[in-house]
Amino acid sequence: MAPRLLNHIAAFLPACGPPVHDEARPLSRSILLPMLLAILAFHVCTIRSGHDWGGDFSQYLQHAKNLVEGRPYAATSYRRTPETAHLGPAYYPPGFPLLLAPIYRVWGLNFFAMKLLLVGFLVASLVLIHETFKTQLSTRTQTALILLVGLNPLLWDFKDQLLSDLPFLFFVFLALRLMQRAVRPASHPLLGMWLGIAIGLAYSTRSVGLALAPILPLCEFVARRRLSRASVLALTTLAVWIAAQAALLPGAGGYLSLFRLDPASVCRNVVHLGVAYSVFWDNGYVLWGRLLVYFCVLLLALVGYARQARRRCGPLELYPLFYLLPLCFWPFPQGYRLVIPLFPLAVGYGLMGLETLLARLDGRGRKAVIVAGVALLLATYLGKYGSLPFGEIPVGIERPAARELWSQLATWGEDAGTIVFRKPRVMALLSGLPRPAGEGDRRRGAIEVSLARARRRGRGRKRLRGGRGA
């Protein structure tokens, strides 16, 4: 249904030559490697010390700490209540904690080393993004794709948050690249095993990675009305992977247990996803400039997507559809995080749409469009970088006041009672207080969380209350 609809859309577009390049040459290593090294150096040299107060990172780190110390994976010292369900699931998938565990084992809570890991995944993702689009874009637009994604100010800022999204981006494009190879008629069947592992890694990093599973079978069924051995092996490998994870770490399924069918929430998520994508084009100053770039890129991306889908509906074309579907039912808003895997695709299809537009123009028109586009993107990126701080994270968990709080809590030890704190998971990780014995246990040493912010005076202020066991 979706490919047929896209064919109808593409039929109204003026014929101007194929937007994809069957004989396109990938970037030479003499260009690609220095560009990747420059992006890597920029991100490494601008890593900011400290970390913000977001709670997700602390739960990932607590899982990693438990893996290193041999404790139960779910023992996070954080008591989840109905009032705090919006913070996230009781347990996160184990993929990202497993990546953090070796760093924690060697260096402890070394945020710099962990951020280096994220930068490495970002640059490795650029390699896979280039491999994915190298036969569909010219060498100039391949260069633009890598620069626009690798130097995006939002992703630059995001590397300083210890979250699973950049590793997830890598595993998504690893799976998509393997699908592109597996969908060929002469592909090796064992490629399916590696594809199943790649999808399993994506699923173990973020549960929405399961949306990758039906893409290759659907592509093959549409093209040949049957499944190849590679596709069957991929699904079998993925099933074994999921079963093994469920057996070794029961309950570590992320947000899957929180999904609810709520029409109001679906409508809210659809609007939210559209707004979230526009954040990637924020210039730091004026909203109209952000919206201008957003709609221009979105329109070009739709043109490029429709053209490509009309020519051949492959894994790249199906992935946004399968990925966006569960996001519409996502239990809680997560800002632009959920759109990160789609951002390179939108840029890539936008560049395809730009090539489609340029093919219709004469030399002077092409030059004018290119100059205007480069000026607009430079203003957007430089403006946003100019509004971002490059120094130490100003309000973070390693500031002197925060360190004093953790030191004070550490002295309480077994005398700590029930504690109410606005950032419970951060406190659970850094306070060093004993772990609660169970969900219903309120003995000394338990940490209970409540974030009914609207009911409390002084909304937005951190509140701490300590005493003997409740």
Side-chain angles (χ1 to χ4, degrees):
M1 178 65 70
R4 187 175 301 173
L5 177 62
L6 289 170
N7 287 340
H8 288 305
I9 295 174
F12 288 97
L13 298 173
C16 53
V20 292
H21 297 259
D22 292 323
E23 303 298 331
R25 293 180 294 107
L27 284 175
S28 64
R29 292 185 180 180
S30 61
I31 298 176
L32 180 61
L33 187 58
M35 191 161 48
L36 292 174
L37 290 176
I39 294 174
L40 175 65
F42 172 68
H43 282 283
V44 171
C45 293
T46 55
I47 289 178
R48 304 168 65 194
S49 59
H51 203 287
D52 63 19
W53 283 85
D56 288 352
F57 87 94
S58 54
Q59 191 165 342
Y60 283 121
L61 285 174
Q62 186 65 71
H63 287 318
K65 186 177 180 181
N66 292 341
L67 291 170
V68 171
E69 297 177 353
R71 300 178 183 272
Y73 181 78
T76 59
S77 302
Y78 153 57
R79 189 185 300 280
R80 188 169 175 270
T81 65
E83 291 81 8
T84 60
H86 63 280
L87 290 179
Y91 326 118
Y92 279 130
F96 189 47
L98 283 169
L99 293 171
L100 295 175
I103 299 176
Y104 178 81
R105 182 177 182 85
V106 177
W107 292 290
L109 286 176
N110 188 319
F111 292 120
F112 182 81
M114 295 176 181
K115 291 176 183 180
L116 281 178
L117 175 70
L118 297 184
V119 171
F121 271 107
L122 175 59
V123 175
S125 299
L126 295 178
V127 176
L128 291 172
I129 291 168
H130 169 255
E131 288 291 317
T132 302
F133 281 98
K134 68 182 181 181
T135 60
Q136 304 173 32
L137 295 171
S138 66
T139 53
R140 291 181 180 180
T141 47
Q142 289 175 49
T143 303
L145 174 62
I146 294 174
L147 292 176
L148 288 173
V149 176
L151 297 178
N152 183 265
L154 198 68
L155 294 181
W156 172 85
D157 188 48
F158 194 75
K159 75 176 186 310
D160 286 302
Q161 302 182 48
L162 297 178
L163 299 171
S164 62
D165 300 87
L166 293 180
F168 180 67
L169 176 68
F170 171 81
F171 293 131
V172 164
F173 274 90
L174 176 62
L176 291 175
R177 180 56 185 152
L178 291 173
M179 285 184 202
Q180 286 182 325
R181 296 181 60 185
V183 78
R184 299 171 185 169
S187 63
H188 197 283
L190 283 180
L191 193 62
M193 181 187 70
W194 296 112
L195 175 58
I197 293 175
I199 299 176
L201 288 169
Y203 167 75
S204 295
T205 306
R206 296 210 71 169
S207 51
V208 73
L210 200 59
L212 290 160
I215 295 177
L216 179 61
L218 182 58
C219 287
E220 293 182 338
F221 184 78
V222 170
R224 299 190 288 268
R225 295 296 187 271
R226 63 181 179 83
L227 300 184
S228 67
R229 287 182 293 175
S231 183
V232 174
L233 186 57
L235 293 176
T236 304
T237 303
L238 177 61
V240 172
W241 184 285
I242 294 174
Q245 176 177 308
L248 294 174
L249 297 171
Y255 286 90
L256 290 178
S257 60
L258 302 178
F259 274 59
R260 299 291 185 271
L261 183 58
D262 180 9
S265 177
V266 171
C267 296
R268 188 166 53 248
N269 285 339
V270 170
V271 175
H272 174 77
L273 289 170
V275 174
Y277 175 65
S278 71
V279 179
F280 287 91
W281 306 109
D282 184 27
N283 55 55
Y285 294 98
V286 291
L287 178 61
W288 66 264
R290 164 180 161 182
L291 294 177
L292 175 62
V293 179
Y294 167 59
F295 284 112
C296 287
V297 175
L298 183 61
L299 180 61
L300 289 173
L302 290 174
V303 172
Y305 183 83
R307 282 284 188 176
Q308 178 67 4
R310 184 183 183 183
R311 178 180 180 270
R312 181 186 65 245
C313 196
L316 283 187
E317 289 68 49
L318 290 177
Y319 175 66
L321 304 179
F322 281 94
Y323 181 73
L324 285 171
L325 182 62
L327 296 193
C328 294
F329 300 92
W330 207 257
F332 311 113
Q334 289 200 345
Y336 61 86
R337 288 182 58 187
L338 293 175
V339 193
I340 288 178
L342 298 179
F343 175 66
L345 292 175
V347 175
Y349 284 118
L351 291 171
M352 290 184 199
L354 179 62
E355 290 184 340
T356 300
L357 173 64
L358 294 178
R360 296 194 64 208
L361 302 176
D362 58 15
R364 183 176 298 179
R366 284 197 294 269
K367 190 176 297 184
V369 169
I370 292 173
V371 170
V374 170
L376 196 58
L377 291 172
L378 276 177
T380 298
Y381 275 44
L382 293 178
K384 184 61 178 179
Y385 273 119
S387 67
L388 292 172
F390 278 75
E392 182 182 4
I393 295 176
V395 181
I397 61 174
E398 292 193 315
R399 302 295 290 176
R403 289 181 180 272
E404 184 179 354
L405 173 62
W406 312 137
S407 298
Q408 180 63 40
L409 289 172
T411 63
W412 292 1
E414 291 291 337
D415 292 330
T418 298
I419 299 175
V420 179
F421 194 66
R422 186 172 178 235
K423 291 295 182 178
R425 294 179 291 180
V426 178
M427 185 187 66
L429 172 70
L430 299 174
S431 64
L433 292 174
R435 290 169 173 75
E439 188 69 22
D441 188 10
R442 289 180 173 269
R443 66 183 184 181
R444 291 189 308 169
I447 297 176
E448 184 179 6
V449 181
S450 178
L451 283 178
R453 300 176 185 173
R455 301 176 185 175
R456 288 199 175 88
R457 297 172 57 188
R459 183 177 180 180
R461 298 172 55 192
K462 295 179 283 293
R463 302 181 62 193
L464 176 66
R465 185 182 76 239
R468 294 280 176 179

